[in-house]
Amino acid sequence: MESIQYEGLLGIMSEMNKKIDILQANNKVKENQPVNQGTNKTVSKEEIEAIMKEKTDLMGNYYEYKHKIQTEHHSKILSAVKAVAEKIDALPTPDKISLEPIIELFPQSKKVTICGFEFLRTSVIIFVLTLVCFFSLTLNIKQMDDYRALKLQLYQQSEYILHLENTGKKGK
């Protein structure tokens, strides 16, 4: 903070020195002017120093106020970040978590032993249903084939009956 004030004061003082140099140059010009021209009121060095001191005090107070506000904001932000970091540290990590209660929530898969081999019950059920579907499809195809054969015999019988009726009518 002192370095900020020091740099600000140096900047203000350099501006004041420039203004003093300008005022002194004006005073020399006025001294060289003829007496009959009106002179402007001059400011003494003490008055300039008093004004300079007043303005630097105001600037210093302003910078101190701004610095105070910034440090308050920074401290609030740091405390918020610290609170978040503590909450993150409080969260359970994989090495802190026990998986046993979670595993208990899921049902254990049931196994069936067939001829010394272990199978999951669901896979056995799926296999049996697949076999049932296969046999059903095979029987359905066989039934369709039998249906076609019966239909063909029906047509042949119908033709034979029509043929007999036609020959019987001709014979009378």
Side-chain angles (χ1 to χ4, degrees):
M1 182 175 144
E2 291 179 14
S3 65
I4 293 172
Q5 288 180 351
Y6 184 71
E7 290 174 3
L9 291 177
L10 284 179
I12 293 171
M13 289 183 71
S14 66
E15 289 177 16
M16 294 282 192
N17 285 337
K18 289 177 185 176
K19 290 180 182 178
I20 290 172
D21 290 341
I22 291 171
L23 289 174
Q24 287 176 352
N26 284 340
N27 283 341
K28 287 182 183 177
V29 169
K30 288 181 183 177
E31 288 175 2
N32 292 336
Q33 289 179 353
V35 178
N36 58 4
Q37 290 182 351
T39 58
N40 291 336
K41 184 178 175 185
T42 58
V43 180
S44 68
K45 189 173 183 180
E46 291 80 22
E47 290 176 353
I48 292 173
E49 288 177 356
I51 293 171
M52 186 174 73
K53 184 177 179 184
E54 178 186 342
K55 297 297 179 185
T56 54
D57 286 341
L58 286 174
M59 290 298 290
N61 291 337
Y62 174 75
Y63 286 125
E64 283 181 36
Y65 174 72
K66 282 295 190 180
H67 180 69
K68 180 181 172 186
I69 289 175
Q70 285 180 350
T71 53
E72 288 175 3
H73 288 308
H74 286 271
S75 62
K76 287 179 184 177
I77 290 171
L78 287 176
S79 63
V81 167
K82 190 175 183 180
V84 169
E86 289 172 358
K87 288 180 182 179
I88 290 173
D89 290 339
L91 290 175
T93 57
D95 57 337
K96 295 180 188 176
I97 297 174
S98 174
L99 297 177
E100 293 170 4
I102 297 171
I103 292 173
E104 292 174 4
L105 294 175
F106 297 104
Q108 297 296 323
S109 58
K110 296 180 179 150
K111 295 183 179 180
V112 177
T113 305
I114 301 174
C115 299
F117 295 103
E118 275 190 355
F119 298 102
L120 291 176
R121 187 171 76 176
T122 53
S123 63
V124 171
I125 292 171
I126 291 171
F127 178 72
V128 169
L129 289 175
T130 305
L131 283 177
V132 168
C133 288
F134 176 74
F135 286 124
S136 173
L137 183 63
T138 306
L139 291 175
N140 194 7
I141 291 171
K142 177 139 178 60
Q143 187 178 13
M144 284 175 50
D145 195 34
D146 290 343
Y147 174 73
R148 285 186 189 134
L150 288 173
K151 200 172 184 183
L152 182 63
Q153 285 178 357
L154 175 68
Y155 290 140
Q156 286 175 353
Q157 285 177 356
S158 298
E159 284 181 19
Y160 184 70
I161 291 171
L162 282 174
H163 179 55
L164 286 178
E165 286 178 358
N166 288 337
T167 55
K169 285 184 183 178
K170 288 184 186 178
K172 286 187 180 178

